Amino acid sequence: MASIKDRIVLITGASSGIGRACAEAFAAEGCKLLLCARREDRLEDLARTLRETHGTTVHTFSLDVRDRSAVVKALDALPDAWKTIDILINNAGLARGLEKLHEGLVEDWEEMIDTNVKGLLYVTRQMLPGMVARGSGHVINIGSIAGHDPYPRGAVYNATKFAVDAITRAMRMDLVDTPLRVSTVDPGLVETEFSLVRFHGDRERADGVYENIDVCTPADIADAVVYCATRPPHVSINEIIIMPTAQASSIVKHVGPLKRGE
Ligand code: NDP
Ligand code: 8X3
């Protein structure tokens, strides 16, 4: 395992779920953290906790990754000490709605495409030239099982995660003559605010997604992200698909206790 102590890690969507868990996991590795999302109050609370528990050096800033000029402005305005990012974790993302395509809301589609695809591209386009110029860096995208295995009523969310997979693979080709690495960590069911956001705040429906299934925690996913980041420099973990034991594909999930033998 290679040490990543003192490395600068930029995490998008660090105010909740997998992004927050990544912040905690990379803080435990001794990294310096740049945390962004739209809900800055949450980031500040998290930063305070990380300073107290791990003595982490943290800088937070509010960012809507859909806003291209805000992305350029915020990342250009980073203090000099924070500009040389070692690891970029493109985590900010969401699903909206679960409808058949012909019944879907175009506003939901636009929000997913603007966040999961265009937002990821804006942030990456801004940070990657510096990594290439320095000959060092690691981009870790948070994709999804939905980017390999589509499911009904999820066409547009699925498409955004297929796009993340295509971007990751093509970036690896673009950068093959450099020491840079590009990974994707692709989870199945993880209990976060994901379903609450997907169902526009319907808590009962969101809770139903995880009911009676032993789903992954955000920390399980952060552990896989740290694994990617801590391999020796000549080793690239290209892709990790990580699901609950009780999930076998996007649509095959076992609800209730697992059969544990006689
Ligand atoms: P959460 O809703 O808990 O977290 C999503 C994070 O993304 C929040 O911090 C949110 O911050 C941020 N975000 C959303 N939109 C924007 C935006 N426009 N600009 C900046 N930040 C934004 O969900 P998860 O932790 O589950 O989701 C994280 C990633 O994991 C997503 O890419 C999701 O697609 C992926 N994923 C999740 C799975 C799951 O089952 N939970 C499974 C597979 C993949 P804020 O609202 O403060 O801006
Ligand atoms: C999230 C996984 O299957 O809930 O990317 O869409 S799923």
Side-chain angles (χ1 to χ4, degrees), residues 182-204:
V182 189
S183 307
T184 178
V185 173
D186 298 345
L189 278 177
V190 189
E191 189 159 1
T192 64
E193 293 175 13
F194 179 85
S195 293
L196 192 64
V197 171
R198 163 167 258 173
F199 299 130
H200 296 276
D202 182 338
R203 165 70 65 186
E204 208 179 318

Side-chain angles (χ1 to χ4, degrees), residues 12-228:
T12 67
S15 61
S16 171
I18 294 168
R20 185 188 161 104
C22 285
E24 288 163 349
F26 280 85
E29 296 295 321
C31 295
K32 298 176 180 168
L33 301 182
L34 264 174
L35 307 178
C36 62
R38 292 165 299 179
R39 290 170 292 180
E40 208 178 357
D41 52 333
R42 284 194 179 205
L43 296 176
E44 282 163 9
D45 286 348
L46 174 60
R48 203 170 309 119
T49 305
L50 296 177
R51 285 185 195 111
E52 284 166 14
T53 52
H54 298 287
T56 311
T57 306
V58 197
H59 179 74
T60 64
F61 58 102
S62 157
L63 185 66
D64 185 336
V65 296
R66 295 171 299 174
D67 183 340
R68 184 177 161 203
S69 60
V71 169
V72 171
K73 206 167 145 197
L75 297 179
D76 273 355
L78 286 175
D80 281 345
W82 287 102
K83 280 205 163 88
T84 52
I85 286 159
D86 298 295
I87 301 166
L88 165 61
I89 302 175
N90 278 315
N91 162 76
L94 80 176
R96 283 285 195 202
L98 191 64
E99 283 96 21
K100 294 186 177 186
L101 193 91
H102 59 279
E103 294 163 347
L105 294 177
V106 174
E107 296 75 23
D108 285 350
W109 302 351
E110 283 175 343
E111 190 175 359
M112 289 187 276
I113 293 166
D114 288 349
T115 310
N116 302 359
V117 184
K118 292 168 75 180
L120 178 147
L121 288 170
Y122 296 155
V123 174
T124 306
R125 181 65 181 86
Q126 202 60 21
M127 300 322 299
L128 201 53
M131 289 182 171
V132 171
R134 292 190 295 281
S136 120
H138 194 162
V139 178
I140 305 176
N141 294 326
I142 305 300
S144 171
I145 183 60
H148 301 271
D149 182 21
Y151 54 86
R153 300 174 184 266
V156 178
Y157 178 71
N158 297 166
T160 66
K161 293 300 184 177
F162 269 78
V164 172
D165 185 52
I167 291 164
T168 306
R169 288 161 59 185
M171 275 177 68
R172 232 175 355 248
M173 296 175 200
D174 292 344
L175 297 167
V176 70
D177 58 348
T178 78
L180 273 67
R181 291 179 287 180
V182 189
S183 307
T184 178
V185 173
D186 298 345
L189 278 177
V190 189
E191 189 159 1
T192 64
E193 293 175 13
F194 179 85
S195 293
L196 192 64
V197 171
R198 163 167 258 173
F199 299 130
H200 296 276
D202 182 338
R203 165 70 65 186
E204 208 179 318
R205 193 170 175 203
D207 288 348
V209 173
Y210 311 111
E211 215 171 295
N212 292 322
I213 305 184
D214 196 2
V215 294
C216 288
T217 66
D220 295 327
I221 311 309
D223 188 44
V225 177
V226 168
Y227 180 80
C228 293

